[in-house]
Amino acid sequence: MTSKSLPKNKRSKEEVLAELRTLRAEDARWKEGRTFSLVYHVDDEHSALLKEAYGEFISENGLSPLAFPSLRRMESDVISMAAELFHGNEDVAGTMTTGGTESIMMAVKAARQWAREEKGIGRPEMIVPLSVHPAFEKAAHYFDVDIQHAALGADFRVDVREVERLITPRTALIVGSAPPYPQGVLDPISELAALAQARGLLCHVDACLGGFFLPFARKLGRDIPPFDFEVPGVTSLSADLHKYGYAAKGASVVLYRNRALRRHQFFTYGGWPGGLYASPSMTGTRPGGAIAAAWAVMQALGEEGYLENARRVLSATDTLVAGINAIPGLRVLGAPQVGVFAFSSDSLNVYELGDAMEARGWKMDRQQNPPALHCMITPSHERIVEPLLADLRDCASKLAAGEPAPEGSAAMYGMVGAIPDSKQVDGFLLEFLDGVFDRT
Ligand SMILES: *Cc1c(COP(=O)(O)O)cnc(C)c1O
């Protein structure tokens, strides 16, 4: 048991660190490749580089670029490398943030300011695909922007006619994902951006997941449609370094077509007795370690390293997708373009399949609308491709033969899926959060 009170006396470093490590016992075993989200792992050598670079700048604070020209240099390099990767010319400007959510919140906040200051729209709206990441709902909630959801087509890409139908005089921003998290299928970015441009609106591409993957997949010969500043009409883009950029947690970029748009993101306050205050993003203090680790990983991998990792992810994903589609009753949804995909079933309860797999040590994320299991593949998943397929085959055939699934979360997912009103589900989720953050 850990101590609930601040220890009265000092404890030795060895003792504290030993206790810290024992706390891991029940954690998701991501190193073994048996989990499929949250950790984007390459290998131990890669993690060692991240730790060393992060540790070098663990104390420095990116809030003050004047005090730490080192961090300013690194951030500027990271933004330049990203801008070039995403076909931005020298006008493209951005900042680093602590993650996809912060990048998205900043893009929405910048769009809101743009709408207010340049279009005179007091309470602007944005139109997002149904598959968009909840960070947009969060941004709407935090910044008083109204959000409209456009339906998806049968291929899981947003229906552009639906988006067009939802445009009102208050619309400021149209969003597409490259790709959205649930099915890994890119939205029709060129069409969305063309629509936005024709109507004088902003267009954000959420490439949090695919940003540091798609350019390399394309170089490897994959058919990746244009999704970045190459597309006229795209005005901002978010891409996470701590996903397929393989950086340490707490690193993402948000980029704008030009500095005038980026300016709407910034916050300044000249009246503080503590001094003149200027902050680029949501957070005040900005952890230097995350910036340093991102810079270091981009230098260390280079294009060569990113291509190699993309090749490994694509090859594992191809084998998994083909293997899953070959299992009677299972099918992969849509045509996924990165190492992220979902699969469903018309004949089996996929939540029960998830429970059966979980009993064998596989933690697969559950999805809804439609019910599906989700995989996010990294280079470290290479070696689990065959064992995963073998267990899926076995579990699916046992369920098909009427063998009951072990007890798990299927009942809960079934129950939640049967609630017609998502407001009621919200109540359930609030209870859940209360429980998780209780002082147990
Ligand atoms: C992960 C993700 C985000 C949010 O990123 P966080 O770093 O978890 O805040 C946004 N959009 C997509 C498509 C994502 O996959």
Side-chain angles (χ1 to χ4, degrees):
M1 265 307 277
T2 56
S3 167
K4 292 281 167 202
S5 308
L6 186 68
K8 200 155 190 59
N9 301 110
K10 293 180 178 176
R11 297 175 66 191
S12 77
K13 171 180 128 189
E14 290 72 26
E15 187 189 315
V16 172
L17 289 178
E19 184 175 337
L20 185 82
R21 292 190 179 110
T22 64
L23 293 176
R24 277 224 162 104
E26 308 284 308
D27 282 3
R29 307 218 306 255
W30 51 270
K31 265 200 184 181
E32 295 166 21
R34 287 179 164 256
T35 56
F36 296 91
S37 61
L38 303 172
V39 180
Y40 292 68
H41 184 50
V42 181
D43 54 31
D44 288 344
E45 193 187 326
H46 181 89
S47 300
L49 166 73
L50 293 180
K51 267 189 205 171
E52 201 161 322
Y54 200 108
E56 280 291 328
F57 282 84
I58 200 161
S59 302
E60 280 75 4
N61 189 341
L63 177 58
S64 175
L66 299 182
F68 303 110
S70 55
L71 292 179
R72 184 180 177 197
R73 170 86 265 137
M74 287 186 263
E75 178 165 4
S76 164
D77 288 353
V78 167
I79 295 299
S80 295
M81 287 186 271
E84 193 177 294
L85 194 62
F86 302 134
H87 299 95
N89 62 18
E90 53 288 352
D91 292 336
V92 164
T95 67
M96 286 183 71
T97 69
T98 55
T101 299
E102 192 186 1
S103 288
I104 287 165
M105 293 185 77
M106 290 296 84
V108 172
K109 188 267 185 183
R112 185 198 69 183
Q113 287 309 100
W114 172 86
R116 284 188 182 165
E117 290 172 29
E118 294 180 33
K119 309 271 273 193
I121 305 171
R123 192 183 169 105
E125 287 178 359
M126 62 177 154
I127 304 170
V128 302
L130 255 179
S131 56
V132 88
H133 192 275
F136 288 90
E137 322 297 329
K138 202 180 206 178
H141 177 73
Y142 280 32
F143 298 136
D144 281 335
V145 172
D146 288 325
I147 187 165
Q148 304 291 346
H149 297 88
L152 310 182
D155 55 1
F156 297 99
R157 304 158 82 226
V158 74
D159 182 339
V160 181
R161 281 163 315 178
E162 275 288 299
V163 174
E164 184 161 21
R165 203 178 55 77
L166 290 170
I167 295 177
T168 74
R170 288 200 289 128
T171 305
L173 175 67
I174 290 178
V175 177
S177 310
Y181 183 81
Q183 281 89 27
V185 187
L186 271 74
D187 283 321
I189 301 298
S190 295
E191 294 167 56
L192 292 172
L195 176 61
Q197 197 171 31
R199 302 296 189 94
L201 307 174
L202 300 181
C203 175
H204 181 82
V205 175
D206 179 16
C208 280
L209 186 56
F212 289 96
F213 191 92
L214 295 168
F216 306 108
R218 186 190 280 167
K219 275 221 159 87
L220 292 172
R222 297 292 165 129
D223 184 19
I224 307 292
F227 69 95
D228 54 22
F229 291 108
E230 186 181 4
V231 180
V234 168
T235 52
S236 58
L237 179 146
S238 47
D240 287 355
L241 285 153
H242 65 199
K243 289 186 180 157
Y244 287 113
Y246 305 110
K249 294 276 184 296
S252 172
V253 297
V254 56
L255 302 176
Y256 299 88
R257 175 76 64 184
N258 54 52
R259 293 169 85 216
L261 285 172
R262 182 181 64 175
R263 189 168 284 202
H264 293 297
Q265 170 183 316
F266 292 161
F267 175 81
T268 57
Y269 182 54
W272 189 37
L276 301 176
Y277 192 87
S279 153
S281 53
M282 292 280 287
T283 63
T285 289
R286 303 167 77 220
I291 297 173
W295 183 90
V297 79
M298 291 176 92
Q299 296 299 320
L301 285 178
E303 183 175 300
E304 185 188 0
Y306 280 109
L307 282 171
E308 197 177 296
N309 285 331
R311 193 178 294 120
R312 293 170 66 188
V313 168
L314 286 168
S315 134
T317 305
D318 288 349
T319 313
L320 281 170
V321 167
I324 290 169
N325 279 330
I327 297 174
L330 300 190
R331 64 188 162 83
V332 170
L333 299 176
Q337 282 151 308
V338 302
V340 170
F341 61 89
F343 58 97
S344 189
S345 175
D346 296 324
S347 52
L348 304 174
N349 178 331
V350 279
Y351 297 142
E352 288 181 5
L353 180 62
D355 289 344
M357 290 295 285
E358 193 141 340
R360 298 185 183 202
W362 301 99
K363 271 203 170 310
M364 314 188 93
D365 291 338
R366 277 65 159 181
Q367 298 196 148
Q368 52 177 356
N369 308 323
L373 299 179
H374 188 262
C375 283
M376 176 280 286
I377 303 302
T378 65
S380 70
H381 286 105
E382 242 169 3
R383 64 210 154 94
I384 58 83
V385 168
E386 288 311 326
L388 175 70
L389 284 174
D391 274 340
L392 268 178
R393 247 177 248 125
D394 199 39
C395 290
S397 82
K398 288 199 160 118
L399 281 179
E403 208 171 284
E407 189 124 342
S409 60
M412 185 201 65
Y413 273 94
M415 184 197 85
V416 170
I419 302 175
D421 179 4
S422 79
K423 287 270 177 322
Q424 264 175 298
V425 180
D426 287 340
F428 173 80
L429 292 174
L430 286 173
E431 284 290 316
F432 165 80
L433 279 182
D434 265 340
V436 168
F437 291 98
D438 265 350
R439 300 164 54 189
T440 50

